[in-house]
Amino acid sequence: MTDAMHVPDATVVTADLSRWFGQKVAVSEMSCSFGPGVTGLLGPNGAGKTTLLRMLAGLLTPSAGKATVLGRTPRKTYGIYRQMGFVPEDEAVYGHMSARRFVEWSAALSKVEDVSAAADRAFETVQLTEDAHRTLSTFSKGMRQRTKVAAALVHDPEVLLLDEPLNGADPIQRARLIELLIELGGEGRTIIVSSHVLAEVERMAGRVVAMVDGRAAAAGAVASLRDAMFDTPRLIRIDTNRPRPLARRLLAGDWVEEVRVDETGVEIRTRDARALGLDIAGAARETGALVTAVSPEDESLDSVFRYLMEI
Amino acid sequence: MRAALVIARAVLGRLLARRRAVWLMLLGGSPAAILLLLSWGRFDSEAAQFYNDLTVSLGIGILYPVVALVVSTAALGEERKTRTLPFLLVKPVSRWVIALGASAAAVLASFAVLEAGVLATWLVAGFTSGDWSIGIPTTAAAAVQSLASAAIFVPLGLALNRATLAGLGYLLLWEGILAAVIEGLQGSSIYRIVLSAWADLADMTPDTYDTVNAILGRVEIGLGGAFAKAAVLIAVSVAVTGLLLRRRDLVGE
């Protein structure tokens, strides 16, 4: 396999994988593969990331197609869970348990020989050793996430699936989790981590699979996806008291593709948003326009993913 | 089997850790307060009669099935509602082992909660009647109740969102009305199975005996038979719950 959707040393493979709920298609004919290292599963809310991860984890039956982890189908082979860990998106934990008990419980069910030593290692990895005795109900969301990661790691799995693990974590905890995932990926584990935040994925994942509307829209290194996005026209809105003179002036720039003027501002479609940004201040000075806001109209993730769809 | 024990311990801890367990213990123990009021100042065989009547009508008839229903539906139902079920399902453990562990926890938790009330009532009845063996039949009934209720309501809790409500409907319609009217259904009535266990050990007056026999209908009095039926029910239940867990899809978003 040489296309961007597939990797040569695949450990997790989906083939025409689909899942629908009644009329709603959550995942549609997804064919891709994941290998050692961190792969970011990127997509806006509702793109189908959670459904895909749950099918990979064996929690959901595919409506069509197939998913295999290390050559086996999780839904049919419970033994695969000795080599796989899953961190669900839900904040839910066993609130009555201490973090240590929860992780030891996971280790015992995963048939780990020395449960206590394995829990010690897992807490050390997620840097929660000092708080391990505390009841989970007293933990912050970020600490709960790290406990869930510890529970998923306690049996030393080859494949780790994480559904939005950075949700709710504060910046320091995010940084720690990102560092941890990079480290785990560096050890040769297959780490698949979903997120709807491009910047986060960029920091931790060498490879990205972007999902839109249940389909794999693009895959590859983050840089190559970003380059593709920069080549795509952007829509910028400038709020001003003198929209017409400002629009006339900005049209002089050869990076402007299209201009629309209304009573409160100008919308400009450009191939080079950076050049436009540099030109706005001068244009405003020259035309005597008071610029009150400059905002990208289509910078939302939805539009970014629409761009990716077109790649 | 080690995995089943690990699961049972965790589910048991959750079922008994909640404030709900205390409320249910108080509910199960409410006959103790009633008995205390009714037999205040009496220290004779009438106190034993009060105790038996109260056990048959209020305890086995209403409180014990309701308490066991609430506990049993929560065993896996709460895992589902609080979205902790994935933690169980992504382990290298067969679904039947999970079902066995959860059912064992439901039985133990139900029995612990019921027995707290039984002991409180037993204490009052023993003190007022002078017969300290009076609570033994009720303990046996609580054990059968815990087994049979877990068998019915653990899978129900997994399958339905409003399992407790559905269970109350079942208790009212099936146990309360249909099994009373249709003789053919009496053999499958948990109420009657539990009552048959209690009646086998209880020291009843002729009046109470007649009342119990009228309720039992076709069901024979017998502790062994009651336990055997409950054991069969729980075995079938574990198989059904395992199947439900195998087939269940856990939807995230």
Side-chain angles (χ1 to χ4, degrees), chain A residues 231-234 250-251 253-260 267-272:
Chain A
D231 288 342
T232 309
R234 298 288 182 87
L250 287 171
L251 265 172
D254 58 3
W255 45 80
V256 175
E257 287 198 334
E258 185 188 337
V259 175
R260 257 183 289 170
E267 276 184 5
I268 297 178
R269 186 167 292 282
T270 174
R271 275 204 168 270
D272 191 339

Side-chain angles (χ1 to χ4, degrees), chain B residues 61-87:
Chain B
I62 299 170
L63 295 178
Y64 301 166
V66 170
V67 168
L69 158 74
V70 175
V71 174
S72 296
T73 49
L76 282 174
E78 223 142 80
E79 294 275 352
R80 189 172 53 79
K81 281 182 200 159
T82 58
R83 296 177 173 246
T84 49
L85 204 48
F87 295 124

